[in-house]
Structures are given as C-alpha cells and as structure tokens.
Amino acid sequence: MSTTTISIPSIKDVPQGRLGVWVLIAGELIIFGGLIACYILYRLRYPEWGEQAAHTSTPLGALNTIVLLTSSFTVVMSHTASIKKQLNKIVLWMSATIGLGLMFLVVKSIEYTNEISHGFTLTSPSLVAKGESVGANFWSFYYLATGLHALHVIVGMLILFIVMMGARKGKNLHRVELGGMYWHMVDIIWIFLFPLLYLAK
Amino acid sequence: MNHTKQNFWTKYVFATDHKVIGKQYIITGLIMALVGGYLSYVFRMQLAYPGQSIPLYGDMGPQQYNAFITLHGMIMFFWFAMPILLAGFGNLFIPLMIGTDDMAFPTVNMISFWIFFVSTIVLMVSFFLPGGAAAGGWTMYPPLSITAHQPTFWGSFFTGQTFLLLAVALEFVSMLMGGINFLTTTINKRAPGMTAFRLPIYVWFANLAGIIFMFSVGPLIAGAFMMLLDINMGTGFYDPYRGGDPILFQHLFWFFGHPEVYVLLLPSLGVTAEIISTFSRKPIFAYKTIIYMALIASVLSVIVWAHHQFISGIDPRMATFFSVGTILISIPFAAIILSYLATLWGGSIRLKMPMIWTIAGIGSFLIGGLTGLFLGSDTFDIYAHDTYFVIAHFHYVLIPVVIFGTFAAIYYWYPKYFGRMLNEKIGKIHFWLTFLSFHAFAFPLFFSGLQGEHRRIADYSSFDSLMTLPIQHIRIISTIATIILISSQLLLIINVFWSYRKGKVAGRNPWEANTLEWQTDSPPQHGNFEVYPEVYRGAYEYSLPDRTEDFYPQNEK
Ligand code: HEM
Ligand SMILES: [Cu+2]
C-alpha cells in the first residue's frame, strides 16, 4: 500500500469529528424531542395517566438517574486522562462508564420485570379489560420512550468499548472525547425522561 | 489524500470518492424515477380507461391502484428527488465547489449510499409480499395504514406497510448521515479565502436543505416507531379507543412533510442560480439577500405544516395562523425568484440547454407557487382539498423543481464529470417533448379538480356527474401526455450514452464559469485538484468592466 500525503489547505480548523458528532447529537435530540412532545400533550389531555405513572418506581428511577450522572463523571475523567495520554487511566475510567451503563440496564430490567408482572406491558391487556384502555396507552409510551433510550445506552456502550480498545493501544485518542459527547447526550435525554415518567404523577 | 491502489470493487462499488458516490446516487435515483414513472403510467391508464386491460401491465383493481399511487409518491420524493438533488448533486458539487479533495468523512459517505441502496431493495421487495404493497397513501394516515393488518407480529411484519416504513427509515438514516457529512465538509474543508459569502449558492442551499431535513424529520421518526408498534404489537398510539389519536400522526407527518418540499426546492434553486448567472454573464443579483431570504424561508417552513389539515377539524383560530404563515412564506421565495429574473434582465444570454431548462423551470414553477397561494387560504382549501386541483398544484411545483432542475444540472455538469458535451440537438427535442407533455398532463387537472374530481379513486364510473364528456376528455388528454412525458425520457438516455463516446470534448471550462469545479480537469482526478486552489473573490463576478474576459475564476489572482 503506497500512500503519499499532500496537505490540503483549508479555511477552518475545527476538529472534524467533534463537529460531526455535534450534528449527530442535534439530530438525535430532535427524535426524542418529538416523542417527548407527544407524551406531554397526551399527559395534559389525560389525567388518568397520572394514576398509571404512580406505578412506576421512583426510587429505582432515581437510582438510575444517579447511576447515569456518575457515568457522566467517569466519562469526563477518561477524557481528562486522554488529554494527558495516560492510557491505563483511560481504560480504567472507560470501563467504569461501561460498567455503570450495564448497571443502568440491570436496574431497568428489574423495573420492567416488576411492571410486567403487574400486568403493565406494551399493550397492557389487563388494563384494557378493566376498561382503562386510555391508561394502557401510558404504558405504550413508557415502554417506547424508555426502550428507545435503553437502545441508545447499549449503542453508547458499544461505541465506548470500541473507542477503549483503540485507546488502550494509544490509537485515536481524540475519539475518547467524541464517545464521551455521545454518552452525555444519552444521559441528558434520561434527565428529561425521569421527571416526565416517574415524578409527574 | 490517499493514493491507495484501487481495484474494481473499491473504485466503482464500495468507493469512497465523492464523485463516484454522487454518480451512484444519481443513477439509482434515475432508475427509480423510471419505476415511479411506470407506476404513474399504469394508474393514469386505469383512470382514462377504467375496466380495460392495461398494455404492459394487465388488469388493475382498486387495491393495486391505491398501492401504485402510494408508491409513486413515495418513490418520487424519497428515491428520486432527494437522492438526486441533495445526495447526488451535493456529493458531486460540494467538495469541488469549495475546493477540497473529498467529503469530511469518506467512509461514512460510502456507508450512507449503501444504506440508501438497501432501502431501495426493501422497497422493491414490498411490491411482491403476499399481502401486496402498502396502499394507505404516501401520507400513510392511520387508521387506514394500520387496521389493514392483523396485529400479530410475524403475520403483520411481512406486509407492504411495515416494509415501507422500514425502507423509509433506512432512507432517512442514510440522508441524515449524508447531511452530517455535508455540514461538516462545508464548515471545515473550504479552501483558504472561501468565506461564507463567497460560497456558490448551491453550496449554501444544499446545506440549508440538509439542516431543514435534519430538524424536521425527527418527530416523524418517532411517529413511525409508534406506527410500527401499532401495526405489529397492537399498541394504540393512534387508536382513539385507547386514548390515541390519528390526527397526531398527521401533525408528525406534515411537520416533516411540508419542510420536505423546501428540502427539494432549495437545491434546485441553487442549481438555478449557478446556471442563470453563468449563462447571462452577469453577477447574481442581490447575492446576500438571496441567502438571507432562504434562511427566513427555512425557519418559516417548519411552522406552516397544518395547512395540510384544514379539514381535519382544526380550530379556526389555528387555521388562520397557519394560513397566514403559509402565505408569508411565499414572500422570501418570491424575492429569490425576482432576483433571478433581475439577473436575467439585460444579460447577454446564452441560450444553451442548461439555461433553457432553467428558464422553463422558473416559468412553470410560478404557476405552482400561485396556486399554492390559493390553497394556503383555508377558505379555498376546504373546497379544493384532496381534489385534482391539489394534484395539479404540487405537480406544477415538483416537476419544474425536481425534474427540470435535475435536467438543467445534468446538461450543465455532464461535461465536468464525463469530459464531453451533451448533444444540443437531441437535447432540444427532448426539452420540447418533455415541456409540452408536462403542461398537457398537469394543466387540465386544475379544471377536473375544480369540477370535483377527487384524488385516490380508481374508477369514477359510478359518479355520473364526473363521467361527462369534457371531464372524460381531460382524463384521456392527461393520460396520453403522461405517456409522451415518460417515453421522451428515452432521448435523454440516448443522449447520455451517445455523448459519452461521440460528444464534443469539453475541456476544463466549456461554459466559461467562475466556480472552482470548472478550474480542474474534466473529469477531475482522484483528489480533485492538482494544485489546491486559493480563493480571491465571489462566485459570480462576470463581465467586470476592466477585464478583457467576461469571467473571472474564483481562484485566479
Ligand atoms: C415549493 C414547493 C411545493 C411543493 C413540492 C408542494 C407539494 C405539495 C404536496 C405534495 C401537497 C399535497 C399534500 C397531500 O397529499 O394532501 C401540497 C398541498 C398543499 N400545498 Fe404545496 N407544495 C409546494 C409549494 C407550496 C406553496 C408555495 C404553497 C403556498 C404558498 C403551498 C400550499 C399548499 C397547501 C395549502 C396544500 C394543502 C392542500 C390540501 O390540503 O389538500 N404549497 N403541496
Ligand atoms: Cu405544506
């Protein structure tokens, strides 16, 4: 493989990757923005949804909020380590972040199991049978919003893992920051979901 | 820049070179236009001669009719117009026009094309599924698009509607990735001296279009998820019995659907600006104003969506708001068109093929814009909604914008990417056939619409008032014109292939244009420029008084 490199002059020097990730994040936020806007409108229309929201577990939700906030801290630490080129520390803080992501998912699945065992599922047939079909719709929203968010947590963990494997060997250290930005976005979306789904009862 | 050895696969198939990717998008888009065109031929035949067997197709029932209009609309928007005007031309022009070697993320670029390609396959497969293709209209309004299927996962998964949603999702992902690439490239990789207000208008408008797309499509993605769950899992997001609301989907759809029109309009107007200026040998009139107007229109475009829902039971006060917003948005567009006309005024006009398409495009678009003003007022729209008046209106907007704009661009930039000129004689015949048959197809529809002909009805024979001779004649004229319109595109195909071998050799700058893409070889080598340009002036400095030549390339000292 023969590679010649000519430097291409250009007007700006914003790191390309950072710019790209910012645009990506803007796009993602708008997807969740649409979903959250729909949820709020329905929530205002149906006071019944408050009763359903009372069945979500505030303590577990709060625990998960703390878990995610902590993971935002650890991901920042890995960025600091990447600036100082301390490869061991990057791996340490990155693994901590991924571990906290895993913990989030575990707590989330405990919640899901609890809720499903009480008959609150994506379609909640038992609520529909009791004539509370409007309330059943709350659970559809709940599973859609948290499920989509959990999917983003999983994607974020994968991204961080790939970045970490590179950073371990000192390759592509700038990606630590980019992965961190994505992770913060996942975190921020949760900050919106938590009050809406768990606190507004 | 990477001069890695290339084999057939990395050079033509999994290419990362923006020029190859641009061509891939355009070729796929043109093939899909033929598919969309074929569909329109079949359903127009059904309208003109209901109950008879259709040549090249066979018998058509109402179910197929609805499927064909649904996919005609879908294909024309998402598999023809967007891939060509935005992804295709954007890839071909942006790096060259800003004077750099490639997109910011070449690999992402390659992946986005292949995601797009997979979406085309998914869409094509949806025609052959056991239950038939999606038939709920290109707007996919629930409950029609949902209740046609049983809510069991595997039973409803292999249905046209689910596959359509998947295909659209893939296409959106691909376009989002493309938009990220455009923005990053334009912000980051401009040649030294290429300030924001020296950028060619196409670059500005393609980026604005990318931004509008990215900021309007999100809610629809969320809405499409809800629809998938409604179809396949039996949730009730759009089911009133469950507290859901079908109107919600209409809002999510049109919050995207209306701006989508500007996603197509802007790149096409960008192409127009390049061509008008070059072929009138004059600076574009009020360059900065045009850009500010486009910015204003982009902002307004996301607040007018509910003008598509005047008959969905909207509060009259809201209707007034959306009416006023709609009518306001015509002001910036009128300003842009006026400044194009002012550019033409007193120019030494060279009436070559690209210019002919452009002028015809602007002229025809005016009819679309004017009738849009009628529809924007809720009082008229309540009467005209879902009639052929609306069909005529948006074809008068879309065909000049998408089709004429694409052809203008093909004639203008073909020499750059293939090294030879397209034949002007074949071009003229192609132009007149297309232009005349387009008007013969679309104009009569205003009249049948005003007489009450409703869209999405396969056979009018049970409506006596719609079977009178004049309306029957309109149907037949429109259908014959459609056939001419589609078949005359053969001339373009012939022209492209004939000129590839026999066309006049183009040279670097056959049109004597200023923008950077013309200052390198035709076709440009891998990496685009042998000497990377530096920019000293704006893109439209034609006919300067103290120069002997009437053009002044941006990178000339
Ligand atoms: C510029 C490019 C434009 C395109 C591509 C376009 C496209 C469309 C399409 C596809 C529809 C049909 C929607 C349906 O299926 O019900 C439509 C309807 C409509 N258009 Fe446009 N349009 C454009 C410009 C305009 C302008 C400039 C205006 C007003 C100033 C306008 C006002 C309307 C209105 C009010 C409707 C709704 C008609 C109804 O509810 O039946 N459009 N347009
Ligand atoms: Cu609209």
Side-chain angles (χ1 to χ4, degrees):
Chain A
M1 203 157 77
S2 69
T3 314
T4 43
T5 312
I6 310 170
S7 78
I8 297 149
S10 96
I11 192 170
K12 280 268 156 47
D13 244 351
V14 195
Q16 223 146 262
R18 198 187 297 166
L19 199 60
V21 176
W22 272 121
V23 183
L24 172 75
I25 289 177
E28 293 258 22
L29 288 181
I30 289 167
I31 300 179
F32 277 96
L35 191 62
I36 290 174
C38 295
Y39 173 83
I40 294 178
L41 286 173
Y42 275 7
R43 178 72 183 76
L44 293 175
R45 192 194 295 180
Y46 300 121
E48 300 95 302
W49 277 26
E51 291 159 35
Q52 300 302 327
H55 294 293
T56 56
S57 162
T58 312
L60 287 182
L63 173 65
N64 253 350
T65 310
I66 295 168
V67 169
L68 272 194
L69 283 177
T70 318
S71 76
S72 260
F73 167 74
T74 54
V75 91
V76 168
M77 290 311 287
S78 71
H79 176 218
T80 319
S82 76
I83 293 173
K84 296 187 193 144
K85 297 213 165 39
Q86 299 163 324
L87 303 186
N88 285 340
K89 283 205 174 160
I90 299 179
V91 176
L92 188 72
W93 289 115
M94 278 274 187
S95 332
T97 315
I98 297 172
L100 287 164
L102 199 63
M103 188 168 159
F104 175 88
L105 291 176
V106 170
V107 175
K108 196 80 236 163
S109 28
I110 295 173
E111 280 181 57
Y112 277 175
T113 330
N114 251 329
E115 282 144 9
I116 291 172
S117 69
H118 286 89
F120 306 126
T121 65
L122 191 60
T123 46
S124 311
S126 55
L127 282 181
V128 178
K130 272 193 280 175
E132 293 178 35
S133 46
V134 171
N137 212 2
F138 168 84
W139 291 100
S140 303
F141 261 103
Y142 169 82
Y143 281 105
L144 176 60
T146 53
L148 206 58
H149 176 261
L151 201 65
H152 279 76
V153 173
I154 295 172
V155 171
M157 284 163 62
L158 278 176
I159 293 176
L160 290 187
F161 183 74
I162 295 168
V163 170
M164 185 178 82
M165 292 319 271
R168 198 167 57 116
K169 299 184 202 123
K171 273 193 279 182
N172 289 322
L173 287 188
H174 67 285
R175 286 190 184 165
V176 174
E177 184 193 356
L178 306 184
M181 285 162 64
Y182 190 85
W183 191 257
H184 286 314
M185 172 201 81
V186 177
D187 190 8
I188 288 169
I189 290 170
W190 179 256
I191 302 284
F192 279 89
L193 292 182
F194 174 60
L196 286 173
L197 297 174
Y198 291 82
L199 298 182
K201 297 195 163 158
Chain B
M1 185 193 2
N2 241 327
H3 280 299
T4 323
K5 266 221 185 81
Q6 293 183 312
N7 57 30
F8 173 81
W9 290 98
T10 53
K11 192 160 177 202
Y12 298 108
V13 184
F14 297 106
T16 51
D17 180 5
H18 70 101
K19 298 185 287 294
V20 180
I21 296 176
K23 285 177 198 165
Q24 287 172 327
Y25 271 116
I26 291 175
I27 292 167
T28 319
L30 288 174
I31 293 173
M32 290 309 279
L34 291 179
V35 177
Y38 170 75
L39 297 180
S40 66
Y41 154 77
V42 176
F43 64 68
R44 283 266 18 141
M45 286 298 279
Q46 159 70 26
L47 286 176
Y49 309 102
Q52 297 178 29
S53 179
I54 297 160
L56 299 177
Y57 180 71
D59 295 318
M60 174 169 241
Q63 180 70 21
Q64 275 105 315
Y65 180 86
N66 284 338
F68 276 30
I69 53 157
T70 302
L71 286 150
H72 164 77
M74 277 284 174
I75 288 177
M76 288 307 194
F77 265 109
F78 300 126
W79 282 275
F80 164 51
M82 286 252 298
I84 291 192
L85 284 175
L86 201 57
F89 292 160
N91 261 303
L92 286 184
F93 307 154
I94 289 178
L96 278 157
M97 281 179 167
I98 65 174
T100 187
D101 61 332
D102 205 333
M103 286 286 176
F105 308 110
T107 317
V108 174
N109 207 12
M110 183 258 284
I111 297 171
S112 29
F113 172 75
W114 283 103
I115 293 179
F116 165 70
F117 193 80
V118 172
S119 79
T120 4
I121 308 271
V122 175
L123 186 76
M124 291 312 314
V125 168
S126 81
F127 277 96
F128 304 102
L129 292 172
W138 85 279
T139 50
M140 308 186 289
Y141 282 0
L144 192 59
S145 51
I146 289 170
T147 48
H149 311 292
Q150 289 302 313
T152 62
F153 189 76
W154 292 112
S156 50
F157 187 78
F158 290 100
T159 55
Q161 189 62 40
T162 307
F163 268 54
L164 179 62
L165 282 170
L166 286 180
V168 170
L170 288 169
E171 134 94 28
F172 285 173
V173 168
S174 144
M175 294 293 146
L176 278 172
M177 288 163 74
I180 294 173
N181 229 336
F182 281 11
L183 276 174
T184 314
T185 309
T186 311
I187 295 176
N188 233 355
K189 297 194 70 172
R190 280 169 287 148
M194 183 62 92
T195 56
F197 286 119
R198 282 179 181 168
L199 283 173
I201 289 184
Y202 178 81
V203 179
W204 260 107
F205 282 15
N207 277 289
L208 278 179
I211 295 176
I212 299 179
F213 179 76
M214 295 193 337
F215 282 80
S216 60
V217 79
L220 180 59
I221 293 179
F225 260 108
M226 298 185 218
M227 182 176 272
L228 270 177
L229 292 179
D230 270 10
I231 296 176
N232 293 305
M233 308 295 234
T235 55
F237 290 109
Y238 302 127
D239 177 1
Y241 169 71
R242 295 284 199 86
D245 191 345
I247 304 284
L248 174 68
F249 184 81
Q250 298 191 10
H251 285 291
L252 297 176
F253 182 87
W254 286 114
F255 182 77
F256 162 77
H258 187 81
E260 168 69 8
V261 171
Y262 303 99
V263 171
L264 307 180
L265 185 60
L266 283 173
S268 177
L269 284 177
V271 165
T272 308
E274 308 302 326
I275 292 174
I276 289 233
S277 179
T278 310
F279 288 84
S280 335
R281 316 307 294 164
K282 272 180 66 187
I284 201 95
F285 182 79
Y287 168 92
K288 273 196 188 174
T289 316
I290 291 181
I291 287 164
Y292 289 131
M293 288 298 152
L295 280 167
I296 294 173
S298 309
V299 174
L300 285 178
S301 75
V302 285
I303 60 158
V304 300
W305 74 90
H307 65 207
H308 296 268
Q309 295 162 246
F310 287 147
I311 64 152
S312 308
I314 194 172
D315 183 320
R317 287 163 296 181
M318 287 308 275
T320 308
F321 170 80
F322 283 105
S323 261
V324 172
T326 304
I327 291 164
L328 274 183
I329 208 170
S330 58
I331 295 172
F333 279 115
I336 294 176
I337 299 290
L338 277 178
S339 74
Y340 288 176
L341 294 181
T343 311
L344 281 172
W345 192 266
S348 38
I349 291 171
R350 298 182 178 171
L351 220 49
K352 297 285 190 196
M353 278 325 295
M355 187 64 159
I356 294 174
W357 280 114
T358 296
I359 293 176
I362 296 185
S364 314
F365 174 68
L366 287 180
I367 301 180
L370 270 176
T371 48
L373 278 180
F374 295 7
L375 291 172
S377 116
D378 49 347
T379 39
F380 181 84
D381 182 60
I382 287 169
Y383 174 70
H385 181 80
D386 270 0
T387 66
Y388 270 79
F389 188 90
V390 174
I391 307 278
H393 151 70
F394 68 76
H395 284 88
Y396 260 103
V397 170
L398 287 170
I399 292 183
V401 165
V402 178
I403 299 198
F404 291 11
T406 298
F407 289 169
I410 289 181
Y411 278 92
Y412 185 52
W413 278 287
Y414 182 89
K416 180 45 58 188
Y417 295 94
F418 293 98
R420 291 181 190 259
M421 311 293 283
L422 280 174
N423 183 296
E424 291 266 322
K425 267 203 202 99
I426 309 181
K428 284 222 171 81
I429 307 173
H430 173 223
F431 167 77
W432 282 110
L433 282 174
T434 306
F435 181 75
L436 293 175
S437 58
F438 155 60
H439 284 280
F441 141 68
F443 204 71
L445 297 183
F446 283 122
F447 298 99
S448 61
L450 288 178
Q451 304 200 36
E453 184 154 325
H454 205 269
R455 69 197 292 197
R456 294 177 184 168
I457 289 178
D459 186 346
Y460 292 92
S461 10
S462 45
F463 303 96
D464 286 340
S465 62
L466 290 175
M467 291 305 282
T468 59
L469 222 42
I471 306 186
Q472 271 290 50
H473 284 161
I474 288 180
R475 259 175 233 137
I476 292 174
I477 291 171
S478 187
T479 300
I480 293 173
T482 307
I483 296 173
I484 302 174
L485 182 62
I486 296 169
S487 40
S488 42
Q489 302 320 311
L490 204 60
L491 286 171
L492 179 71
I493 300 175
I494 292 173
N495 201 349
V496 164
F497 281 101
W498 185 87
S499 305
Y500 187 70
R501 313 211 142 233
K502 305 246 172 78
K504 214 171 83 202
V505 174
R508 291 191 158 207
N509 192 356
W511 311 113
E512 304 185 311
N514 286 347
T515 38
L516 292 178
E517 79 269 27
W518 299 104
Q519 319 307 330
T520 182
D521 283 343
S522 313
Q525 77 256 52
H526 195 92
N528 294 347
F529 297 92
E530 63 265 33
V531 180
Y532 281 95
E534 215 170 299
V535 173
Y536 302 102
R537 63 189 57 75
Y540 304 105
E541 309 210 345
Y542 291 101
S543 305
L544 295 189
D546 46 355
R547 263 179 70 89
T548 44
E549 276 164 329
D550 68 350
F551 64 113
Y552 204 175
Q554 285 188 280
N555 60 342
E556 208 172 290
K557 264 227 164 85

